[in-house]
Amino acid sequence: MSQPTAPSRPTLEAIAQRAAVSLSTVSKVLNGRPGVSAPTRARVEKLLHDSGYARRGPEPERGGLVELVVADLLSEWSVEIIRGVERIAREAGFVLALSALGDHLEPGRDWITGVLSRKPVAVILQFSNLTAEHRQQLRTRNIPFVVVDPAGDPPPDVPAIGATNWAGGVAATRHLLGLGHTRIAVVSGPPDLECSRARVAGYQSALAEAGLPFDSRLAGVGDFRREDGEREARRLLDRADRPTAIVCGNDLQALGAMDAAFALGLDVPGDVSIVGFDDVAPASWARPALTTVRQPLQEMAEVATRTALRLRAGAVENTRLELATSLVVRDSTAAPAAH
């Protein structure tokens, strides 16, 4: 009795016939080249996806590109991610290609057109929300992608490497509670980012564990920038019933909060204790040196890159991971002053 044969892999010729276009037009779409109208490109992309077509071929040669998409090329956060991706890419014989999202959390059409023409061996994205269309286009070309510290909760089929942000928020707040603080403020990052929400949730959980209510008057919100931390901390500290400690969404906000305290004539940590998050290099350079929650940024980037390269090789594995955060106690926190 004969065994049923597996369905044959769709060919580009068959896709061209179904789309009523030439083989060269399908090739242009597949390789991200110009010269194809938007409706035709969309029709061919849909047929490529619906047919289950996925480009195959030999393993990429050394010297190929690993593409990294970061929010900001100048931020300390991004620099740590760049270092981690570059190290693993270099060890594997590949070259790092960089692009920046700016204020957006998902790459635009210009980016996807460029990446299809560059044909990287893998794509690593900071925060980014990839659209369903972009995910389909990358998979059709056999370009694996992994998100580092995703902005929200990605679909189950999107590989993502994050950190234990909730646990980090808990650890920062417990540290201050253990020193005797009971009036603890929080300055969070953008509320549309999952990491921001998780850190605040950890802060609130630690307060509840200690029997303290969450006071919305002690909460500030901003972007992950130094000036946002300074603005919100100045507002919180320039009041008669000011907090004795502040948990910040990241180290840059915490450094800005220090600036606000100094501008108001307050001592850190004598009058107010400040805790950051990330443990980027300036945290240890600050005076006083910043107590912070270490997020293993380079390790997250390294794991993301290794995961993408293993996916390229056909590996099937757990692609949703959270790496542990840890509290780093320095000089910006102390017991509250006696009044």
Side-chain angles (χ1 to χ4, degrees):
M1 184 175 177
S2 62
Q3 295 294 322
T5 58
S8 61
R9 178 173 178 257
T11 64
L12 294 184
E13 291 86 349
I15 290 169
Q17 289 179 357
R18 292 180 62 189
V21 298
S22 67
L23 181 59
S24 66
T25 297
V26 176
S27 178
K28 285 180 180 178
V29 173
L30 193 61
N31 292 293
R33 296 200 300 268
V36 182
S37 68
T40 299
R41 189 178 297 275
R43 185 167 74 253
V44 172
E45 286 284 4
K46 186 175 188 306
L47 285 168
L48 286 168
H49 174 258
D50 291 349
S51 68
Y53 178 88
R55 172 179 280 162
R56 298 175 187 171
E59 282 301 298
E61 296 181 1
R62 295 175 68 85
L65 298 178
V66 171
E67 180 132 350
L68 171 59
V69 184
V70 296
D72 179 1
L73 291 172
L74 299 179
S75 75
E76 289 290 339
W77 200 105
S78 295
V79 168
E80 294 296 303
I81 296 296
I82 291 168
R83 286 172 177 156
V85 175
E86 193 277 334
R87 190 174 82 80
I88 301 306
R90 175 167 38 84
E91 287 179 357
F94 302 126
V95 177
L96 180 66
L98 278 173
S99 55
L101 292 172
D103 295 331
H104 307 288
L105 291 180
E106 63 183 44
R109 184 167 296 278
D110 289 345
W111 174 79
I112 195 67
T113 300
V115 81
L116 297 185
S117 64
R118 288 189 290 273
K119 303 184 186 69
V121 300
V123 174
I124 313 298
L125 304 107
Q126 174 191 344
F127 287 148
S128 180
N129 292 323
L130 281 174
T131 66
E133 179 184 4
H134 288 173
R135 298 197 301 271
Q136 291 174 7
Q137 289 172 305
L138 292 173
R139 286 178 177 134
T140 299
R141 278 81 175 175
N142 191 27
I143 301 174
F145 54 89
V146 179
V147 178
V148 177
D149 207 1
D153 185 19
D157 63 338
V158 174
I161 309 299
T164 54
N165 289 293
W166 179 86
V170 169
T173 311
R174 281 179 179 169
H175 169 65
L176 294 169
L177 290 165
L179 291 171
H181 294 275
T182 57
R183 190 164 177 76
I184 304 171
V186 64
V187 177
S188 77
D192 58 336
L193 294 182
E194 176 66 26
C195 60
S196 297
R197 298 193 298 270
R199 292 169 195 178
V200 173
Y203 155 84
Q204 293 175 326
S205 180
L207 290 182
E209 181 182 70
L212 297 174
F214 168 66
D215 186 347
S216 60
R217 294 171 299 178
L218 295 181
V221 178
D223 288 331
F224 284 137
R225 300 181 302 180
R226 188 170 186 144
E227 51 266 37
D228 293 272
E230 182 176 6
R231 182 194 67 239
E232 293 301 300
R234 181 180 285 270
R235 179 182 62 80
L236 291 164
L237 295 172
D238 193 17
R239 50 190 294 170
D241 58 344
R242 66 174 183 261
T244 63
I246 304 176
V247 174
C248 293
N250 76 340
D251 290 341
L252 291 181
Q253 285 184 341
L255 295 173
M258 280 190 185
D259 290 341
F262 298 149
L264 293 170
L266 300 176
D267 179 71
V268 178
D271 296 309
V272 59
S273 290
I274 296 175
V275 182
F277 205 109
D278 284 342
D279 196 25
V280 294
S284 61
W285 303 340
R287 291 296 177 267
L290 182 65
T291 293
T292 187
V293 175
R294 181 180 183 273
Q295 185 173 201
L297 298 173
Q298 283 195 45
E299 292 93 325
M300 290 161 60
E302 290 170 0
V303 170
T305 310
R306 290 192 188 100
T307 298
L309 295 177
R310 284 197 293 265
L311 290 171
R312 174 79 188 210
V316 178
E317 56 184 81
N318 180 10
T319 55
R320 303 298 287 272
L321 297 173
E322 285 191 342
L323 304 190
T325 53
S326 57
L327 183 69
V328 180
V329 178
R330 296 194 179 104
D331 302 327
S332 66
T333 52
H339 294 288

